[in-house]
Amino acid sequence: MHSHTGVGMAGHPGLPQHMQEGNGGTDGDGRKQDIGDILQQIMTITDQSLDEAQARKHALNCHRMKPALFNVLCEIKEKTVLSIRGAQEEEPPDPQLMRLDNMLLAEGVSGPEKGGGSAAAAAAAAASGGAGADNSAEHSDYRAKLSQIRQIYHTELEKYEQACNEFTTHVMNLLREQSRTRPISPKEIERMVNIIHRKFSSIQMQLKQSTCEAVMILRSRFLDARRKRRNFNKQATEILNEYFYSHLSNPYPSEEAKEELAKKCAITVAQVSNWFGNKRIRYKKNIGKFQEEANMYAARTAVNAANASSHGSQANSPSTPNSAGSAGSFNMSNSGDLFMSVQSLNGDSYQGAQVGANVQSQVDTLRHVISQTGGYSEGLTANQMYSPQGINANGGWQDAPTPSSVTSPTEGPGSVHSDTSN
DNA sequence: TAGCATGATTTGAG
DNA sequence: CTCAAATCATGCTA
């Protein structure tokens, strides 16, 4: 900033020639001098210190030529603004911004309070297939993180809005103030406000974008089931194992049984299906490894069955709604020879594929108990028991006629749940 | 940290 | 669609 009090008009290259020759005229010289003065003051006003400028501004406002000059400036402005205005179009709603808005709304970050957030979390959880009490802790963690994001988002948004408003008022005041000396129309001010709002909304968009990213990361971290694999709790595994080993000859739970197991284990039906799929394949691949486990569950089931029958009630292993219903049709299609393998040998349950009678679980159980007390070496038996040929020859589980459909409860009306075993 | 355990996903068959 | 089988990705443990 250089302070200069009075500089000749010649020093200003931007001014028209006729305006610059203010000195030494005769007739209209006084007026020309005035105009020159005013213009010079206007041009140099930004170079001055605040106090100085304030004083000059005041002097300028009170100058007798001011209204005339103001009108001229207004005219000029009118012309330029028109050409500017032509270029300024109303911007269409930004599709990207709309997308971000929609996503934030869907995730429950923006929009109505808490309810939206938890609803979105629940929906996301449901979509990922992981429902149930087991995951509730995780979900609350997810919700907590989400609401944290939400809070930050709103705080920032509020800050931006506040800053935007403050800045807008500031600029408006400034422009209004200046409109006393400069030809600024209300429209002009409005336009400026719009520009400011656009700038701030682009900042907001960045905020929304990063919020979306944060939510996506959170989602992928918390709700991607494959990433965040959790072992089922012990109780659930026991329930599933109990069912598996007590239905070893036909470990294909019906849809109903799956639902019941799912409910008991607080996991989804799909998870039950997964579990049985994995279990079957892994059991078959290495029976020896599972022998001990099989014996344990068999013994347990046997005890349960014995207890139940001694009480005179319907004895059935936990959650076995399908075995009874499946029996009839299943045996029909699969008769005789498979049955033989059950009685045939050394307690290998595997080959005895589709016995399918509703006493089957008991048979399995007893067989395991027998095998347990039979006194042969486990490892050896296991190896002997499992031979690929044996599986193929006897069909193993694979020969089961599409278990789920066969065992489907629709087939045997009433018999499904009836505990008519024995 | 390696190696095993285990739940989930993919692929292909029926 | 369900299933077996293979595979992936993570959890758990010695």
Side-chain angles (χ1 to χ4, degrees):
Chain A
M1 280 194 207
H2 57 130
S3 66
H4 57 126
T5 38
V7 182
M9 292 312 289
H12 256 289
L15 290 178
Q17 200 41 237
H18 69 272
M19 281 188 171
Q20 295 201 8
E21 40 200 39
N23 305 346
T26 48
D27 193 23
D29 276 1
R31 202 167 293 174
K32 276 186 188 173
Q33 177 79 43
D34 280 341
I35 294 171
D37 270 356
I38 293 167
L39 281 174
Q40 192 227 343
Q41 283 175 32
I42 290 172
M43 301 304 279
T44 57
I45 204 161
T46 52
D47 294 338
Q48 296 153 1
S49 74
L50 263 180
D51 287 344
E52 222 173 358
Q54 207 65 30
R56 284 191 175 260
K57 208 166 73 181
H58 184 69
L60 211 56
N61 278 333
C62 300
H63 200 282
R64 62 195 172 89
M65 289 298 290
K66 190 242 171 184
L69 188 62
F70 192 81
N71 281 343
V72 174
L73 287 174
C74 278
E75 263 178 47
I76 297 170
K77 183 71 177 279
E78 195 75 22
K79 286 175 194 163
T80 18
V81 163
L82 274 176
S83 61
I84 292 170
R85 207 170 280 157
Q88 287 275 329
E89 283 299 318
E90 278 295 308
E91 91 276 33
D94 189 349
Q96 200 190 347
L97 184 65
M98 280 171 66
R99 233 183 41 230
L100 290 173
D101 275 336
N102 284 342
M103 189 193 156
L104 289 175
L105 205 63
E107 293 296 332
V109 175
S110 63
E113 256 307 310
K114 294 280 179 187
S118 53
S128 79
D134 202 26
N135 296 336
S136 64
E138 200 155 305
H139 287 172
S140 71
D141 205 10
Y142 173 83
R143 273 201 297 274
K145 288 268 194 301
L146 191 71
S147 77
Q148 210 175 328
I149 290 176
R150 183 192 165 90
Q151 199 176 346
I152 292 169
Y153 170 77
H154 278 110
T155 317
E156 290 298 308
L157 202 66
E158 214 168 291
K159 254 195 263 177
Y160 284 135
E161 261 161 25
Q162 200 179 338
C164 179
N165 285 341
E166 269 174 27
F167 190 69
T168 307
T169 359
H170 185 76
V171 167
M172 274 169 69
N173 286 341
L174 205 68
L175 289 177
R176 272 203 209 104
E177 176 69 20
Q178 288 198 356
S179 70
R180 289 168 59 191
T181 44
R182 285 171 53 206
I184 300 171
S185 63
K187 278 224 156 148
E188 216 74 35
I189 296 177
E190 198 185 315
R191 221 185 84 235
M192 192 54 79
V193 168
N194 278 340
I195 289 170
I196 294 168
H197 281 171
R198 260 205 297 279
K199 290 284 173 208
F200 270 91
S201 77
S202 82
I203 296 172
Q204 275 187 10
M205 193 160 96
Q206 278 177 25
L207 174 70
K208 283 174 183 175
Q209 203 155 6
S210 43
T211 307
C212 279
E213 273 166 28
V215 171
M216 292 311 281
I217 290 167
L218 186 73
R219 274 192 72 147
S220 68
R221 193 166 295 170
F222 273 83
L223 301 173
D224 184 346
R226 185 163 181 158
R227 272 238 154 90
K228 197 75 184 174
R229 186 178 68 75
R230 281 242 181 277
N231 290 348
F232 298 155
N233 62 38
K234 203 149 192 161
Q235 203 187 348
T237 313
E238 279 193 9
I239 291 168
L240 293 167
N241 271 318
E242 243 166 63
Y243 188 98
F244 180 81
Y245 288 112
S246 65
H247 294 74
L248 205 47
S249 62
N250 185 29
Y252 298 88
S254 67
E255 206 50 42
E256 222 171 81
K258 280 182 195 171
E259 274 169 28
E260 197 178 327
L261 285 168
K263 209 183 293 175
K264 275 186 181 173
C265 302
I267 57 179
T268 65
V269 173
Q271 283 176 305
V272 173
S273 299
N274 280 340
W275 189 92
F276 273 89
N278 284 325
K279 189 72 181 183
R280 280 192 299 264
I281 205 81
R282 281 161 189 167
Y283 179 85
K284 201 170 85 173
K285 267 187 178 172
N286 194 352
I287 293 178
K289 201 178 72 183
F290 289 95
Q291 193 64 47
E292 207 173 322
E293 191 181 69
N295 291 338
M296 192 187 84
Y297 281 104
R300 192 184 300 183
T301 314
V303 169
N304 285 347
N307 280 346
S309 59
S310 76
H311 286 128
S313 68
Q314 331 85 320
N316 217 342
S317 58
S319 60
T320 60
N322 73 326
S323 37
S326 67
S329 61
F330 181 72
N331 262 343
M332 300 271 204
S333 61
N334 234 41
S335 58
D337 38 74
L338 290 177
F339 222 127
M340 304 292 281
S341 64
V342 175
Q343 313 136 323
S344 68
L345 74 206
N346 54 5
D348 173 21
S349 56
Y350 176 64
Q351 282 111 328
Q354 308 297 359
V355 178
N358 54 8
V359 294
Q360 185 52 38
S361 69
Q362 305 267 6
V363 174
D364 285 335
T365 298
L366 291 173
R367 212 168 44 221
H368 272 289
V369 172
I370 290 163
S371 78
Q372 197 176 24
T373 53
Y376 49 75
S377 113
E378 279 182 19
L380 187 64
T381 359
N383 286 338
Q384 285 173 338
M385 280 191 300
Y386 177 67
S387 72
Q389 301 105 306
I391 288 174
N392 291 335
N394 285 335
W397 294 322
Q398 292 120 308
D399 279 3
T402 47
S404 66
S405 61
V406 171
T407 55
S408 120
T410 55
E411 233 170 310
S415 67
V416 178
H417 283 295
S418 69
D419 295 316
T420 50
S421 52
N422 293 343

